[in-house]
Amino acid sequence: MRVRKVVVFFGVITCVWCSLPSDQDFWLRLAKEELEESLRVKWNLGIAKNVILFVGDGMGPNTVTAARIYKGGETHRLVFEKFPHMGMLKTYSANKMVPDSACSATALFCGVKANQETVGLDATVKHKDCPASLRPESRLNSLAALALKAGKSAGLVTTARVTHATPGPLYAHSADRKWECEDEMPSEAAKCKDIARQLVEDWPGRDLHVVLGGGRQVLVSNSSGSPADPLDTWSCISKDGRNLINKYKEDKKSRGLKYSFVSNSKELKELNAAKTDYLLGIFANGHLMFEHERNKGPEGMPSISDMVEASIKVLQKNKNGYFLMVEGAKIDLAHHRGWAKRAVDETVAMENAVQLAMSMTDERDTLIIVTSDHTHTLSINGYPYRGTNIFGVVGPSNYDGVNYTTLSYGTGGPGAFQYYIETVGNESKVIRKDASLEDTDRFDYEQISAIRLIENSHGGGDVAIYARGPHSHLFHNVHEQHYVYHAISYAAKIGAYSDANINSSNYTIITILLAFTIFVTL
């Protein structure tokens, strides 16, 4: 029975493959088009008035490849894969070969490598060391902080909680990424402020012009869950009586600032950006829903594209420009559960947001970057025929005769450990489940993994970085991850590369040279 199914399966595959163009003219045309495209590339040496940094959390190279095939086939390219410049980033942290999102986001946004699970702090601060995190010299300035100091606007968009590990380093300094609210903080950390309070009470968080994402349960105590918006039991849930959303509103009113607070798609869509300089949008207790399952009605949660559109409308009013970080967080969250199709679908959702940002900005003055903080252990296996479903089945294995999925993981949770023990008489052997007997195209199908954990772990491989706009050519080979902060600072002329600092530096050099000349002539 199994052999007959495999024969039919391969018969279908062969037909799909035979229908795809493969003659010499097809390949020559593809190569010629790429060559002509490459010859048209010119360096943009202008100043990046605006910077939009997209972070596909957990979006390793194999995830990008799978998303490309899912959307348009093997010869397709995602919009950011057409950017004129790209490189690779080394993602290791200060103390681990494989990073988490807190330390890798700190590297991206703050310019130095940090220890695992710390937020916005240098590597002198160890995980959970509250006293060390209070040292001013250990606290890092983010790209958002540099933008604000330069008179630009700054903001963040995420499909996770706004206090989560990736957005956190833009405004917070915490020795533990889990200290999103008071309920996760031990008594010995009483002198440290949780991440949610830092967002609303401290600079630069309170001065961010756009904050859009989830996380109501860490901002407002005793938030109630529902089937459409459940509480996130993996996260901190505040119980101290706080209402930081009200505190945000009171702060803006007391300073006479024009602000808006929105909580669903309808309110975001109807936002009057002309009358809004500060925008806070909290759309879920925990993370936002996956794109394929979110309520797309007016009372539901907005898409990542919806949030990007509203953000740019608010930020672009500043004549000095802006910095915006956009995180496609659910890519990572899907990978952690072994849901490859959800991860890939979330990658395509973020690609749509990139395309929207491109349509709303000018390449001459806006630097758009797409990258990731780390990889996952996703792999693309076997020898599936071209044109077949990336979530489909190949095989049978020439070792055990059992079919398997094109996508699999190195590590996975219990559902992805697709083996069982079969006992015949006195002999027992490990049997792998036949993937062709299941619907592997489901959004909640868990791909097989080699090593069983509570959930999938991150990968330690390099991630790609794609760039277009002013000084995008600075991304051109294999870079350290924290290099991104410095390249963006240089392109936008902020921080150490602002006109004031450059002029001051030049003045110091000229003064030293003049003093040396006078000394020599005496």
Side-chain angles (χ1 to χ4, degrees):
M1 181 66 177
R2 176 179 295 166
V3 173
R4 184 164 66 249
K5 289 176 66 176
V6 171
V7 170
V8 172
F9 176 66
F10 273 97
V12 173
I13 290 178
T14 305
C15 290
V16 173
W17 169 69
C18 289
S19 67
L20 296 172
S22 294
D23 60 12
Q24 288 189 36
D25 288 342
F26 174 75
W27 303 119
L28 292 173
R29 178 175 59 79
L30 282 183
K32 183 180 179 182
E33 288 173 356
E34 285 195 41
L35 179 58
E36 290 173 347
E37 179 184 315
S38 298
L39 291 171
R40 290 194 298 269
V41 172
K42 295 181 180 179
W43 284 10
N44 179 342
L45 298 176
I47 295 174
K49 175 183 174 183
N50 313 308
V51 178
I52 305 177
L53 174 55
F54 285 87
V55 179
D57 198 318
M59 188 183 72
N62 281 346
T63 304
V64 175
T65 300
R68 177 200 309 147
I69 296 170
Y70 172 57
K71 186 169 183 181
E74 290 84 354
T75 60
H76 179 70
R77 282 194 292 171
L78 302 175
V79 293
F80 53 83
E81 292 185 293
K82 299 176 184 178
F83 283 7
H85 301 285
M86 69 167 293
M88 300 296 289
L89 303 179
K90 296 184 284 183
T91 62
Y92 67 94
S93 70
N95 66 330
K96 294 287 184 77
M97 184 187 297
V98 178
D100 80 312
S101 292
C103 65
S104 52
T106 298
L108 283 170
F109 306 152
C110 302
V112 299
K113 297 268 186 176
N115 290 325
Q116 210 89 334
E117 299 194 60
T118 63
V119 174
L121 299 164
D122 69 19
T124 64
V125 181
K126 296 180 180 179
H127 184 218
K128 296 183 182 293
D129 189 345
C130 168
S133 73
L134 297 174
R135 296 194 300 256
E137 64 272 20
S138 297
R139 297 186 156 209
L140 303 170
N141 275 323
S142 72
L143 288 167
L146 298 188
L148 292 175
K149 286 182 178 180
K152 296 178 181 291
S153 294
L156 68 89
V157 166
T158 178
T159 52
R161 297 184 298 274
V162 296
T163 51
H164 202 232
T166 299
L170 285 173
Y171 59 83
H173 313 282
S174 178
D176 193 335
R177 58 177 284 177
K178 293 181 180 178
W179 294 350
E180 294 182 55
C181 74
E182 88 295 339
D183 199 45
E184 284 284 344
M185 299 183 71
S187 57
E188 57 267 27
K191 292 184 178 180
C192 286
K193 189 178 287 191
D194 63 61
I195 295 170
R197 286 184 59 200
Q198 290 186 58
L199 171 62
V200 175
E201 298 175 1
D202 297 349
W203 190 88
R206 64 169 181 257
D207 282 346
L208 292 176
H209 295 82
V210 171
V211 177
L212 298 178
R216 186 183 302 107
Q217 68 188 49
V218 302
L219 296 166
V220 179
S221 285
N222 305 313
S223 296
S224 57
S226 69
D229 182 21
L231 292 174
D232 186 350
T233 56
W234 285 60
S235 165
C236 179
I237 301 175
S238 177
K239 300 179 180 66
D240 67 357
R242 69 178 59 189
N243 190 324
L244 293 178
I245 292 177
N246 283 346
K247 192 164 189 176
Y248 173 92
K249 296 175 182 178
E250 292 164 2
D251 171 68
K252 302 302 176 284
K253 285 179 183 176
S254 69
R255 293 197 278 162
L257 302 174
K258 294 187 292 185
Y259 77 93
S260 294
F261 171 73
V262 294
S263 60
N264 57 38
S265 292
K266 181 176 183 289
E267 291 173 357
L268 185 65
K269 186 175 182 180
E270 294 176 352
L271 174 74
N272 188 339
K275 295 183 178 180
T276 302
D277 294 332
Y278 292 84
L279 172 61
L280 175 63
I282 303 298
F283 307 106
N285 281 311
H287 303 313
L288 274 61
M289 303 294 282
F290 287 105
E291 177 62 22
H292 76 93
E293 64 182 7
R294 71 180 177 87
N295 176 0
K296 296 177 174 61
E299 302 305 315
M301 301 174 189
S303 68
I304 187 171
S305 292
D306 295 335
M307 293 190 288
V308 166
E309 181 178 15
S311 298
I312 293 176
K313 286 179 178 178
V314 171
L315 297 172
Q316 67 186 1
K317 296 185 300 176
N318 189 334
K319 61 180 177 60
N320 295 321
Y322 59 84
F323 168 81
L324 174 64
M325 190 286 293
V326 181
E327 182 198 15
K330 302 287 282 190
I331 302 168
D332 173 73
L333 294 166
H335 277 317
H336 275 302
R337 307 296 182 269
W339 296 325
K341 185 168 184 177
R342 280 178 170 163
V344 169
D345 192 62
E346 290 296 311
T347 302
V348 172
M350 193 185 80
E351 185 218 13
N352 293 336
V354 174
Q355 190 160 29
L356 177 67
M358 292 166 62
S359 71
M360 295 181 69
T361 58
D362 190 332
E363 187 174 2
R364 290 174 295 182
D365 67 2
T366 302
L367 173 61
I368 297 181
I369 294 170
V370 179
T371 190
S372 179
D373 49 354
H374 57 76
T375 69
H376 267 272
T377 63
L378 182 72
S379 62
I380 304 175
N381 312 292
Y383 301 96
Y385 278 93
R386 182 173 150 224
T388 55
N389 186 356
I390 188 66
F391 308 110
V393 176
V394 290
S397 162
N398 58 12
Y399 175 74
D400 61 14
V402 180
N403 299 313
Y404 55 98
T405 51
T406 298
L407 300 180
S408 67
Y409 289 97
T411 60
F417 200 69
Q418 299 174 8
Y419 299 86
Y420 61 93
I421 305 296
E422 182 178 89
T423 302
V424 178
N426 295 325
E427 184 180 351
S428 297
K429 59 180 178 179
V430 177
I431 304 295
R432 185 164 52 82
K433 293 180 181 179
D434 189 338
S436 67
L437 302 178
E438 298 189 60
D439 179 9
T440 62
D441 201 38
R442 299 192 328 263
F443 275 105
D444 62 349
Y445 177 78
E446 290 183 58
Q447 269 71 18
I448 193 171
S449 69
I451 301 169
R452 181 172 175 173
L453 303 173
I454 293 176
E455 64 172 9
N456 292 17
S457 68
H458 293 171
D462 296 350
V463 296
I465 182 165
Y466 311 85
R468 77 163 214 171
H471 285 84
S472 54
H473 61 276
L474 294 178
F475 302 102
H476 62 95
N477 60 19
V478 179
H479 302 287
E480 295 288 352
Q481 191 167 40
H482 66 286
Y483 167 79
V484 175
Y485 167 96
H486 299 276
I488 289 176
S489 298
Y490 183 87
K493 298 296 180 282
I494 58 177
Y497 302 100
S498 66
D499 288 340
N501 284 337
I502 290 173
N503 290 337
S504 174
S505 177
N506 288 342
Y507 178 79
T508 300
I509 293 172
I510 291 171
T511 301
I512 292 172
L513 289 174
L514 181 60
F516 178 77
T517 302
I518 293 173
F519 174 80
V520 169
T521 56
L522 290 177

